[in-house]
Each structure stands twice: as structure tokens, then as C-alpha cells.
Amino acid sequence: TWEGFIGATISTIIIGFVMATILSNYQYMICPKKTFDFSAVSCEPSKAFQNVNYHIPQKIANIIQIHTITAKPIQFHAVSFAIFASFIGPFGGFFASGIKRALKKKDFGDIIPGHGGVTDRFDCQILMSAFVFFYCQSFVFHYSQIGVEEMINLIITKMTVAEQMQVQQILGKLIKGS
């Protein structure tokens, strides 16, 4: 029903915003890990997880009597995911149903009686996973890009003095050659 669709959309947006708010406060959720263990993690949070002051347009601010809000960019990314999941996600299910009809199958499996296979439960994820990948590549991961100076500091601090001298010689040759 339309009521269910609208209610689910609003709930998904609210839950997405709230969960992003809660989870972004935990180092385990925001720090990259390269190993699978339960050791403590700690990192400097990327800009996506740091509070930013946003100025509300003057006309709206005058009505609601609030001129700035403080939020983390990840909260707005979560809202974008929630909106996409609510409006476009179901089309992944329609797409999967079309594939099943073309193959003259009722379900992709029978592991869950009356509900089909595991693929039938996750068919909406077909479009959602592609959206999340491209969205993150375009809007989220740019927060973690580092500049030339940070990259050189990161590389040089891990090198021995001999390796640093070798890099200096190579860079000197490259600069003279250009």
C-alpha cells in the first residue's frame, strides 16, 4: 500500500540517520583494519566522520529559528543510501523476478520454505550494491585522499636513512631531466 511505502521510507531515513550517528562514534566502525582480530583500533577519523557546521538558508532559518546545525557528513550519506534503498531498491526485486520468469522458475532455491532461496531474499541488493559502490567512489572516499606532503611524510618516515638518500637521488635525477 502507499501508506506502507511512505511509512517505510520515512522509517528507513530516520533509522539510517540515527544509526550513522551512533556507529560513527565507535573506532571499530570508522577505522580501517587490515587484519581479522579483536585488538584495539584507533585512528584519526576521516573528515566524513567529523562534525561540520552547516548554515541553514536564511528564509528557512527565520521560520524554524535555527541558523546552523552540526552534523557529520556520513549522516547525510546514510540518508542518501536510505532514500535510494526506499525508492530504487525494490526495482532490484523486479529485475530478479524478470530473470526468474525468463528462466521459468518460481524461486532461485528452496532453502527457505515458502520464501525461495537465499538469492530471493537479497534480490533488492542487486541495484543497491552497485549504487553504494559508485556513490562511495564518487562522494565518500574523497575524504580519505591525502596530499603530496602527507604521502611523502608517510613514505619517508617508514624508510631507513639509506633508502631516504636513494629516493633523494632518484628525485634529483628526475627533476633535472624534466
Side-chain angles (χ1 to χ4, degrees):
T1 66
W2 281 105
E3 297 86 4
F5 172 74
I6 293 168
T9 299
I10 293 169
S11 298
T12 303
I13 292 169
I14 291 169
I15 290 170
F17 188 85
V18 169
M19 290 306 294
T21 304
I22 293 168
L23 295 177
S24 66
N25 292 320
Y26 292 98
Q27 293 284 314
Y28 275 107
M29 295 292 148
I30 63 173
C31 293
K33 269 191 78 95
K34 296 185 179 8
T35 60
F36 184 72
D37 60 9
F38 295 103
S39 61
V41 292
S42 144
C43 67
E44 179 66 32
S46 82
K47 291 179 184 173
F49 300 105
Q50 295 177 5
N51 284 327
V52 176
N53 290 327
Y54 294 97
H55 298 282
I56 297 173
Q58 193 63 40
K59 289 181 182 179
I60 297 171
N62 289 338
I63 295 169
I64 62 173
Q65 298 299 311
I66 298 173
H67 297 282
T68 61
I69 59 168
T70 302
K72 299 172 183 174
I74 198 68
Q75 294 168 302
F76 296 112
H77 295 309
V79 168
S80 298
F81 292 149
I83 291 170
F84 186 85
S86 297
F87 285 100
I88 307 299
F91 288 99
F94 302 149
F95 178 68
S97 294
I99 292 172
K100 287 190 284 190
R101 282 193 192 97
L103 297 172
K104 296 184 179 14
K105 292 225 170 220
K106 182 181 180 300
D107 293 320
F108 283 124
D110 58 5
I111 196 165
I112 307 170
H115 294 278
V118 173
T119 306
D120 291 296
R121 297 293 89 212
F122 293 98
D123 52 10
C124 293
Q125 300 305 319
I126 295 169
L127 290 177
M128 193 65 198
S129 60
F131 173 76
V132 168
F133 174 78
F134 289 114
Y135 183 93
C136 286
Q137 291 294 323
S138 301
F139 302 111
V140 178
F141 293 151
H142 76 275
Y143 287 112
S144 63
Q145 291 178 348
I146 60 173
V148 174
E149 186 176 340
E150 292 94 358
M151 186 177 296
I152 289 173
N153 276 335
L154 184 67
I155 293 169
I156 296 295
T157 56
K158 304 281 186 200
M159 294 179 159
T160 64
V161 174
E163 291 170 330
Q164 291 175 4
M165 297 299 290
Q166 186 179 5
V167 167
Q168 182 181 11
Q169 289 173 352
I170 293 170
L171 287 174
K173 289 178 187 175
L174 290 172
I175 292 170
K176 287 179 185 175
S178 57

